[in-house]
Amino acid sequence: MTRKERYEAFVTYFEENQPEAETELNYSNPFELLVAVVLSAQCTDVRINKVTPKLFEDFPTAEHLASTHFDELFPYIKSVSYPNNKTKHLIGLGKMLVEDFNSEIPASKDELQKLPGVGRKTANVVTSVVWNQPSMAVDTHVFRVSKRLGLVNQNASTPLAVEKQLVKHLSEDVIPKAHHWLILHGRYVCQARKPKCEECNLIHFCRYFEKKEKISR
């Protein structure tokens, strides 16, 4: 199967079976999404969704984050990964949003990455989810699943390399959804240690499954 055929099979399957894929983080506005994504680095969405309701209730705007201090904010997020750094990031993020962006969430990936705690992946998530821009955020699930399916080369050794290949071969209108398709498939089916190939409907074009079948023969 050619690379083009793999992409066509991938898009066709998910367009038919999961056309409305979206983030599992709970949020009600761009500010909340940005905060949730910053917190979600190396942490599960389930954990973040347990933490954010009270956080968003007491710190609903950038101004609230900008005016708080470490000891006040830390207890709200102490159960997430790297809470010390993330507490500092959120306070700095709030201050920069107020001082440099008139408390508005920038729609540019370059400007988003100026904010404390915001890297390329976070900027891609926010621009994709909020503004439906053709941004492909590559987390561990996207990285693993895209390589297993054969959508990207096995020698694509960095998230940026994987991102560039996916963006090259997917149409712009599909990219925002494809990000979620890959994440959710990796989260629930194509898991890292024990992929559920017996439950997967993509094995007919999956390079990982093809190799596994050959080895077992």
Side-chain angles (χ1 to χ4, degrees):
M1 178 178 279
T2 65
R3 178 78 58 86
K4 180 180 179 181
E5 289 170 338
R6 287 182 192 275
Y7 273 94
E8 289 174 349
F10 168 75
V11 172
T12 297
Y13 173 80
F14 283 105
E15 286 281 22
E16 293 176 353
N17 293 278
Q18 204 173 4
E20 302 301 324
E22 56 188 23
T23 180
E24 293 187 316
L25 290 170
N26 296 330
Y27 71 98
S28 59
N29 56 57
F31 169 74
E32 290 186 357
L33 177 66
L34 175 61
V35 170
V37 178
V38 168
L39 290 175
S40 72
Q42 298 184 31
C43 195
T44 66
D45 288 0
V46 172
R47 167 55 55 189
I48 301 308
N49 288 337
K50 290 179 180 178
V51 166
T52 50
K54 182 63 175 171
L55 177 68
F56 293 156
E57 179 182 345
D58 293 351
F59 300 90
T61 67
E63 286 83 0
H64 287 84
L65 284 183
S67 62
T68 191
H69 54 81
F70 184 94
D71 290 339
E72 182 180 16
L73 183 60
F74 179 83
Y76 287 83
I77 65 170
K78 64 182 180 181
S79 65
V80 309
S81 60
Y82 306 104
N84 288 345
N85 286 339
K86 290 178 181 178
T87 299
K88 295 173 185 176
H89 288 329
L90 290 186
I91 295 172
L93 178 150
K95 290 178 178 178
M96 185 173 284
L97 284 174
V98 172
E99 295 170 4
D100 297 348
F101 296 102
N102 197 31
S103 299
E104 297 291 329
I105 307 302
S108 158
K109 283 186 283 189
D110 289 339
E111 293 200 319
L112 278 167
Q113 289 180 80
K114 295 177 182 177
L115 298 169
V118 178
R120 185 179 182 87
K121 184 181 74 173
T122 296
N124 277 336
V125 171
V126 173
T127 54
S128 170
V129 173
V130 176
W131 292 284
N132 204 39
Q133 293 180 19
S135 305
M136 175 59 70
V138 178
D139 69 353
T140 181
H141 298 301
V142 174
F143 190 87
R144 178 179 68 256
V145 175
S146 61
K147 295 184 81 168
R148 282 182 175 175
L149 290 177
L151 298 177
V152 302
N153 297 331
Q154 292 303 303
N155 61 3
S157 58
T158 65
L160 181 58
V162 169
E163 175 190 334
K164 287 181 176 179
Q165 289 190 31
L166 289 171
V167 169
K168 177 181 178 181
H169 293 285
L170 290 166
S171 61
E172 289 193 354
D173 62 310
V174 167
I175 289 171
K177 292 185 290 185
H179 160 68
H180 297 301
W181 291 338
L182 290 164
I183 285 179
L184 296 174
H185 194 68
R187 187 172 289 165
Y188 298 111
V189 181
C190 194
Q191 297 171 340
R193 294 186 179 180
K194 292 185 178 181
K196 301 176 182 178
C197 297
E198 70 281 359
E199 299 179 16
C200 182
N201 294 312
L202 309 182
I203 57 174
H204 61 289
F205 68 89
C206 176
R207 184 169 289 161
Y208 174 87
F209 184 77
E210 290 171 4
K211 290 182 179 179
K212 190 172 77 168
E213 286 293 285
K214 288 178 180 179
I215 293 173
S216 64
R217 287 171 186 169

